[in-house]
Amino acid sequence: MSARARLFDDPVPELPAGVRLYRRCLNEQEQAALLEEVVEILRRAPLFTPRMPRTGRAFSVRMSNTGPLGWVADREKGYRYEPAHPETGRPWPAMPKMLLELWAELAGYPAPPEAGLINHYAPGAKMGLHIDIDEEALDAPIVSISLGCSARFRLGGLKRREPTISFDLHAGDVLILEGPSRLRYHGIDRIYPGTGSLPSEIGEGRINITLRRVAHP
Ligand code: SIN
Ligand code: FE2
């Protein structure tokens, strides 16, 4: 199937309670505006390679953050939120207004997100099945925005071994995990190279931004 055919022949799957998928929530202009903001953020807070706790194995995804807190991962101290970039030592760039507005519109939460984790998937990158559990405010949703190439998303249950469903995420899609699905396992099996474009400063692939509330307001 061609990339274009895939985009238009892609039924919205039946999703469990607490999962909301907004196809093309951001139109092309909005995606381009957001990508400009991402370029500026990455200029000041370059993508870094996170590493697994203990083994030190590198993620295939590279990351940065926007907002007062950023998610980081390294061999010595594991997964956590930090107010500064692990390599530059500088505070993360402020969260763009667009992202704060998107959260205000969709999250239904009485406080703004503190972390916007930016993942860059080059062709071949993926993200294993995991849960987002490093936040104290588990009553807040995870709001996830896709840009650039499409990707195969896998959604599981509350335990690692439970069955999973898979569907594609495309540029402009917004996916929300909340309430009974806030702690569902999820991951990215692969991206589809050539299905979308990113600014040349970023390079080929896919950008995903997840907005998270970390502390209880
Ligand atoms: C993540 O779970 O951190 C990323 C999900 C995605 O890339 O869509
Ligand atoms: Fe996640």
Side-chain angles (χ1 to χ4, degrees), residues 43-71:
R43 201 177 59 73
R44 294 161 56 203
L47 292 165
F48 64 92
T49 297
R51 292 182 177 274
M52 312 265 182
R54 293 181 299 278
T55 63
R57 195 163 162 232
F59 282 57
S60 59
V61 172
R62 296 170 73 226
M63 297 180 175
S64 187
N65 289 275
T66 174
L69 291 174
W71 190 86

Side-chain angles (χ1 to χ4, degrees), residues 13-57:
E14 208 174 301
L15 297 169
V19 184
R20 284 187 268 156
L21 172 58
Y22 297 98
R23 289 268 187 232
R24 304 307 153 99
C25 185
L26 303 184
N27 65 32
E28 270 171 38
Q29 260 176 325
E30 292 167 324
Q31 292 169 39
L34 181 52
L35 281 169
E36 262 179 55
E37 302 269 14
V38 172
V39 166
E40 181 54 24
I41 291 165
L42 297 182
R43 201 177 59 73
R44 294 161 56 203
L47 292 165
F48 64 92
T49 297
R51 292 182 177 274
M52 312 265 182
R54 293 181 299 278
T55 63
R57 195 163 162 232

Side-chain angles (χ1 to χ4, degrees), residues 167-211:
F167 50 92
D168 291 343
L169 292 178
H170 307 296
D173 288 357
V174 173
L175 180 74
I176 298 182
L177 298 184
E178 63 190 350
S181 288
R182 173 64 181 72
L183 292 176
R184 274 184 191 278
Y185 275 85
H186 60 277
I188 293 286
D189 288 350
R190 59 168 301 206
I191 72 161
Y192 303 105
T195 53
S197 63
L198 293 176
S200 57
E201 294 89 334
I202 304 176
E204 215 192 326
R206 170 175 185 260
I207 288 280
N208 170 258
I209 307 172
T210 49
L211 305 178

Side-chain angles (χ1 to χ4, degrees), residues 9 139 194:
D9 180 25
D139 55 331

Side-chain angles (χ1 to χ4, degrees), residues 68-119:
L69 291 174
W71 190 86
V72 299
D74 57 34
R75 178 178 204 145
E76 294 74 25
K77 292 202 229 157
Y79 303 144
R80 66 202 187 275
Y81 284 92
E82 292 281 0
H85 190 288
E87 288 163 8
T88 69
R90 289 199 295 267
W92 303 106
M95 189 147 335
K97 193 159 155 259
M98 285 187 69
L99 293 178
L100 294 170
E101 285 172 357
L102 188 74
W103 172 276
E105 208 177 302
L106 295 177
Y109 195 74
E114 292 157 300
L117 171 63
I118 300 171
N119 291 317

